[in-house]
Amino acid sequence: MTVNKRGMFGVRGTGDTSGYGRLVIPPLVQGSTERPYGGFFDSVADELASALRDDFGVEFDAAVESVVVFRGELTLHVRREHLRAVASTLRNGPELRFEMCLGVNGVHYPQNTGRELHACYPLLSITHNRRVRLEVSVPESDPHIPSLVGIYPTNDWHERETFDFFGIEFDGHPSLTRIQMPDDWVGHPQRKDYPLGGIPVEYKGASIPPPDRRREYN
């Protein structure tokens, strides 16, 4: 059964001051794309499959859950236990050469049971002027993903930020601490189930409620 999402920011009932309370968002279910993928995507998949088999003894289908081509972009959904092997191969393969990882972005899908937390890695090949994306999904109950700092050192602060805001723990990171929120902060503010509001504020004797409770719409 597919259910539309209503409103934004996790607000329930009245009190949505964002103006999005009546927004209806139909869910997008993106399945795996069939061959041929088009453009350079097929050659990237073939080179990756060959190198994974030769260098790591891993079959492509064992490392990659699905391949999605959507709006002209290639996304490889990678199983977390093979993330380092895939990333290393994409960086080092002569016909691949994705030298740059442009960070990591966290995403939270609270209704996607068992795959609530996603980490997305946009990769850039300067040599071949190509882009691909890696995506890894993990459950909230076990939010561990291997760190890519040893392969892409510039991911250091990006992984810390994703940990800070989404609670994804990057195993092997040299210093996985919060980067923007205080060290003793409770929770991860960019998760969809994180409450609006924050620190209670007092102003001239008046209590300032959280944004989602400041007024109601009839």
Side-chain angles (χ1 to χ4, degrees), residues 15-211:
D16 182 0
T17 62
S18 66
Y20 290 98
R22 296 181 181 177
L23 182 67
V24 178
I25 308 172
L28 174 63
V29 180
Q30 182 67 54
S32 183
T33 303
E34 300 295 330
R35 292 263 198 166
Y37 304 135
F40 65 85
F41 299 157
D42 290 279
S43 63
V44 166
D46 291 339
E47 290 291 339
L48 177 60
S50 177
L52 281 174
R53 187 182 306 111
D54 294 343
D55 297 341
F56 295 94
V58 176
E59 293 297 326
F60 182 85
D61 291 340
V64 179
E65 291 183 300
S66 63
V67 179
V68 175
V69 177
F70 184 62
R71 293 183 177 176
E73 296 180 325
L74 174 69
T75 301
L76 303 174
H77 291 259
V78 182
R79 294 180 174 87
R80 60 179 165 184
E81 60 268 27
H82 298 296
L83 176 61
R84 285 197 181 108
V86 171
S88 179
T89 301
L90 288 170
R91 185 195 66 178
N92 297 333
E95 301 301 322
L96 298 169
R97 289 286 187 243
F98 288 91
E99 303 99 337
M100 291 187 65
C101 180
L102 306 176
V104 54
N105 306 307
V107 190
H108 184 211
Y109 299 102
Q111 296 176 336
N112 192 0
T113 305
R115 303 166 63 91
E116 293 92 352
L117 295 171
H118 291 227
C120 305
Y121 305 81
L123 304 183
L124 169 65
S125 170
I126 300 175
T127 300
H128 302 296
N129 190 25
R130 296 172 172 176
R131 294 175 184 263
V132 301
R133 182 190 296 109
L134 303 182
E135 186 165 342
V136 180
S137 60
V138 294
E140 284 183 355
S141 59
D142 183 22
H144 292 268
I145 294 177
S147 171
L148 292 188
V149 172
I151 300 170
Y152 294 108
T154 53
N155 257 32
D156 187 342
W157 285 13
H158 295 279
E159 290 184 3
R160 287 179 60 196
E161 183 178 53
T162 305
F163 162 70
D164 194 355
F165 287 149
F166 290 91
I168 297 175
E169 299 185 27
F170 295 92
D171 297 337
H173 188 283
S175 180
L176 192 63
T177 56
R178 290 188 183 272
I179 194 170
Q180 296 197 45
M181 307 304 291
D183 289 338
D184 59 351
W185 192 267
V186 177
H188 304 282
Q190 287 191 351
R191 288 194 182 187
K192 298 288 180 60
D193 53 5
Y194 189 82
L196 288 175
I199 302 173
V201 177
E202 294 286 338
Y203 179 69
K204 291 186 178 180
S207 177
I208 308 299

